[in-house]
Amino acid sequence: MSTADYDAAFHKNYFQHREFSFTLKDDIYVRYQSFSTQAELEKEILRMNPYKIDVGAVYSHRPNQHNTVKSGTFQALEKELDFGFRHLLWVYSGRRGVHCWVCDEAARKLSIAGRSAVAEYLSLVKGGDETVRKVVLSDPIHPFIRDSLKEVEKYFPQYALKDQEILGNKKSVDKVLALFAGKKGQHFEKEIMLQYCYPRLDVNVSKGVNHLLKSPFSVHPKTGRISVPIDLNQLDKFDPFDVPTISLICKELDRPRGGEEEEEEEQADNNKEKDGDVDVYVKILDVFLDGVAQSLRGELLRKSDLQKDF
């Protein structure tokens, strides 16, 4: 298929060539659906009542006709890039970092080259202490960077200007001004916001298949804080200084247990203290693992259906 043909498929038949996938009761997956109009899609949603709807790629042909076209001609032309990963477990390191466990089978089987490609794609802040200007943008700004900027712009005033006080003294101001020295460009404001607020990624950790991963609920040796899972739905409320510590856990284990009333009073006192309840974080992990297990069961059912193994 020529480039012109691809472009034609993108613009003329964009919606009609878009795949929609429904997940029905008992994790039954219905893939490669496509619709002529929005009304047709809505009607099918009401009829099938799916538990979940996924949006797939835009294909060279209508997805619901993929079994009728010549072998090798049914190709994905465009897809929103999220790498297709669904099972992401975010874990606080116990100090100042956050680990993202990408637990999808496809991610776990990625080659070093594939892992490097994903990590490099996500890396915007590059260079060590010797590099002054760590973010360099060019036109046109990539959609992924534009989306990242929308998030960064919300947090920059509080995180950088107030909390980090990047303009709070002469030394800090000089550090910001150094980013402008002898440079040409029109995105300095965006570059500064990204440099101060966009997360630094450890590419070597991501690409190394043999790299060890820190177990959740381990103790950071320097801070004594427990490495705990993070609930993204409560992310704005997460405070790394409020996670359980090994000293607090030891204190709880050493505390003598009294009667039921005393235990209730102790529990009330604990609730007034900072959140040292490990059970809260165990539940976060349990919910995540349930999601992975549910997905695995659905995949096994899908393979069984394809093999007609009833």
Side-chain angles (χ1 to χ4, degrees):
M1 180 177 284
S2 67
T3 302
D5 291 330
Y6 281 123
D7 291 340
F10 281 158
H11 296 96
K12 184 178 179 180
N13 303 309
Y14 200 89
F15 182 79
Q16 292 85 353
H17 286 208
R18 168 77 73 176
E19 179 194 359
F20 290 88
S21 172
F22 293 167
T23 304
L24 308 181
K25 186 180 179 179
D26 298 325
D27 285 330
I28 298 174
Y29 289 85
V30 183
R31 289 207 54 185
Y32 297 113
Q33 299 183 97
S34 58
F35 306 93
S36 298
T37 64
Q38 178 180 332
E40 186 179 310
L41 168 62
E42 293 174 353
K43 183 178 179 180
E44 190 68 2
I45 291 174
L46 292 174
R47 186 182 74 84
M48 301 191 72
N49 192 25
Y51 280 44
K52 184 167 71 74
I53 301 172
D54 292 309
V55 180
V58 177
Y59 287 89
S60 55
H61 301 75
R62 294 192 60 154
N64 60 0
Q65 300 173 353
H66 72 283
N67 286 325
T68 65
V69 299
K70 185 179 179 180
S71 177
T73 61
F74 182 69
Q75 301 178 25
L77 306 182
E78 179 180 307
K79 185 180 186 299
E80 290 71 24
L81 185 58
D82 63 358
F83 305 107
F85 302 147
R86 297 171 51 199
H87 302 297
L88 310 179
L89 176 65
W90 298 87
V91 183
Y92 170 54
S93 71
R95 193 180 184 187
R96 58 186 180 186
V98 176
H99 304 155
C100 179
W101 288 54
V102 186
C103 299
D104 299 59
E105 183 179 7
R108 290 186 279 113
K109 292 183 177 180
L110 274 178
S111 65
I112 293 178
R115 292 168 179 268
S116 298
V118 172
E120 290 292 348
Y121 176 87
L122 295 173
S123 297
L124 296 182
V125 183
K126 301 180 179 181
D129 294 336
E130 71 285 352
T131 304
V132 176
R133 189 181 178 193
K134 296 181 174 63
V135 178
V136 179
L137 301 179
S138 58
D139 288 320
I141 295 179
H142 193 279
F144 165 69
I145 300 178
R146 287 203 303 267
D147 290 342
S148 299
L149 279 166
K150 291 178 184 178
E151 293 299 315
V152 166
E153 287 169 354
K154 291 191 298 186
Y155 292 96
F156 181 79
Q158 178 65 44
Y159 179 74
L161 297 180
K162 293 183 179 180
D163 294 346
Q164 294 191 57
E165 296 184 327
I166 64 172
L167 301 178
N169 54 64
K170 186 178 184 303
K171 182 178 179 180
S172 298
V173 171
D174 289 343
K175 187 176 180 179
V176 174
L177 292 177
L179 301 175
F180 295 87
K183 304 295 182 182
K184 295 182 180 180
Q186 56 180 329
H187 301 300
F188 284 127
E189 180 181 344
K190 296 180 176 64
E191 291 172 351
I192 290 174
M193 287 192 291
L194 289 170
Q195 180 154 331
Y196 278 94
C197 293
Y198 188 87
R200 273 72 166 165
L201 303 183
D202 191 333
V203 176
N204 291 327
V205 170
S206 300
K207 72 180 183 181
V209 180
N210 61 343
H211 194 285
L212 296 176
L213 298 175
K214 185 175 184 178
S215 173
F217 302 107
S218 57
V219 181
H220 195 284
K222 293 186 177 180
T223 66
R225 299 190 196 114
I226 308 299
S227 176
V228 295
I230 300 173
D231 182 359
L232 291 188
N233 294 321
Q234 302 291 327
L235 183 59
D236 287 339
K237 298 179 181 180
F238 178 79
D239 187 340
F241 295 106
D242 283 349
V243 303
T245 62
I246 186 62
S247 59
L248 180 62
I249 292 176
C250 290
K251 178 182 176 182
E252 290 298 313
L253 293 174
D254 292 339
R255 178 180 294 180
R257 299 299 177 183
E260 183 175 337
E261 292 184 1
E262 291 183 11
E263 290 184 0
E264 291 179 356
E265 291 178 0
E266 290 174 358
Q267 183 61 43
D269 291 339
N270 289 340
N271 291 336
K272 293 178 182 178
E273 298 177 2
K274 63 182 182 179
D275 188 5
D277 188 1
V278 178
D279 290 343
V280 172
Y281 302 100
V282 172
K283 290 178 182 177
I284 295 175
L285 181 61
D286 285 342
V287 170
F288 173 78
L289 294 176
D290 287 343
V292 175
Q294 185 178 13
S295 177
L296 178 59
R297 288 193 295 269
E299 181 62 20
L300 292 175
L301 285 172
R302 186 187 69 82
K303 291 180 179 179
S304 177
D305 289 343
L306 290 176
Q307 296 170 359
K308 305 299 181 182
D309 185 11
F310 299 108

